[in-house]
Amino acid sequence: MNNTKYESIIIGAAQGIGETLARRLARRGTLLIVDVNAGANDALAVSLRDEGHRVDARTLDITDTAGVAELVQEAGAPRYLALVAGIFAASPSLESSPSQFESIFAVNTIGIYDVARQFAAVMATSGGGAICAIGSIAARMPRMRQAAYSASKAAMRQALRVLAMEVIADGVRINFVAPGPTVTPMVRALAADHTGVDLAAGESEAFRPRIPDGRLAETDDIAAAMEFLLSDQSAHIVMHDLFVDGGESLGI
């Protein structure tokens, strides 16, 4: 049974990579944009509708399991689901408390996994679809002062890979895009935490390698990669973690 109401749904659409991706996916068909920031999300929806696109907006905190279930029931099975929501915090590992881990994992790991599993269940009975989640090169490349964030992204990646193995037979593909430093509000927070460090040039004391491409990513660099994985052009790609980092990870 086909239960498709929206061509695409973006979770975490109000700013940064999510907003840029919304402007791309809005050109492809009906779009639902979801974010915890109601004001910014609604303003984006108005902007996209003014451009002639068919866009609806919903407010959601993805740590609210009942709220996620309500969204899935209302929205049905999209063909494409983008999981962009996430939070960032940094502190020395010796000062990173269990409560900091819990708050970051609640969004980046448990919340993202819950959205993915609930939509994947509907997709599996509605003809399949594609899911793409924003990971991070920090999931495989340790970052100073980012124990909780790095661990949350690594755990999300592995949990969704297991989910991917279980739903691919039903036509549901799950992949990841792992950005390096990108010009977003989250990376501005990272830059503030690494005062005086040129993120593109690297810094030995912070164990940050240079970016061979010589620049930070723009949000469109990441959104373009996500759009590819959320398309039929990537029909035989499953459980892939696509690094978009200007070569910072050296292909590891």
Side-chain angles (χ1 to χ4, degrees):
M1 179 181 67
N2 192 306
N3 188 28
T4 301
K5 181 177 180 181
Y6 296 101
E7 176 85 356
S8 305
I9 297 177
I10 302 174
I11 308 296
Q15 64 178 3
I17 295 166
E19 178 183 356
T20 302
L21 181 63
R23 297 191 180 280
R24 281 178 166 267
L25 295 187
R27 300 194 293 261
R28 296 191 348 189
T30 53
L31 174 65
L32 176 64
I33 56 173
V34 181
D35 202 281
V36 70
N37 185 335
N41 199 51
D42 290 344
L44 175 59
V46 170
S47 173
L48 292 171
R49 285 195 291 264
D50 286 346
E51 295 173 8
H53 303 300
R54 294 170 294 168
V55 179
D56 290 333
R58 298 290 183 274
T59 304
L60 176 68
D61 178 346
I62 62 171
T63 66
D64 176 5
T65 301
V68 172
E70 290 174 5
L71 175 71
V72 174
Q73 184 176 20
E74 174 193 350
R79 289 191 63 197
Y80 307 110
L81 173 67
L83 302 173
V84 188
I87 60 174
F88 173 83
S91 64
S93 295
L94 296 180
E95 300 173 10
S96 295
S97 67
S99 62
Q100 184 185 71
F101 269 72
E102 288 168 359
S103 63
I104 292 177
F105 267 70
V107 176
N108 293 359
T109 307
I110 299 170
I112 290 294
Y113 175 78
D114 188 38
V115 175
R117 74 169 184 93
Q118 292 201 46
F119 272 111
V122 181
M123 286 177 166
T125 60
S126 303
I131 298 172
C132 185
I134 284 286
S136 172
I137 64 173
R140 286 194 279 176
M141 187 176 184
R143 293 294 207 196
M144 297 283 283
R145 300 170 56 86
Q146 295 181 33
Y149 178 75
S150 296
S152 73
K153 289 294 189 177
M156 180 272 286
R157 175 179 179 269
Q158 195 71 342
L160 291 193
R161 290 174 75 207
V162 174
L163 176 62
M165 289 193 296
E166 296 177 7
V167 298
I168 185 57
D170 296 310
V172 182
R173 296 187 300 111
I174 301 177
N175 289 291
F176 313 87
V177 169
T182 307
V183 182
T184 65
M186 185 177 292
V187 168
R188 282 192 281 274
L190 170 62
D193 184 67
H194 290 70
T195 304
V197 176
D198 184 335
L199 297 180
E203 207 274 334
S204 59
E205 291 184 6
F207 291 97
R208 293 195 66 91
R210 65 179 293 273
I211 299 175
D213 195 31
R215 67 176 179 88
L216 304 189
E218 299 293 337
T219 56
D220 200 57
D221 294 318
I222 312 305
M226 293 194 77
E227 185 177 16
F228 166 68
L229 291 173
L230 294 169
S231 75
D232 294 340
Q233 291 179 309
S234 59
H236 198 51
I237 300 176
V238 183
M239 290 182 283
H240 183 65
D241 195 4
L242 177 57
F243 278 31
V244 184
D245 66 351
E248 181 182 1
S249 59
L250 304 179
I252 62 172

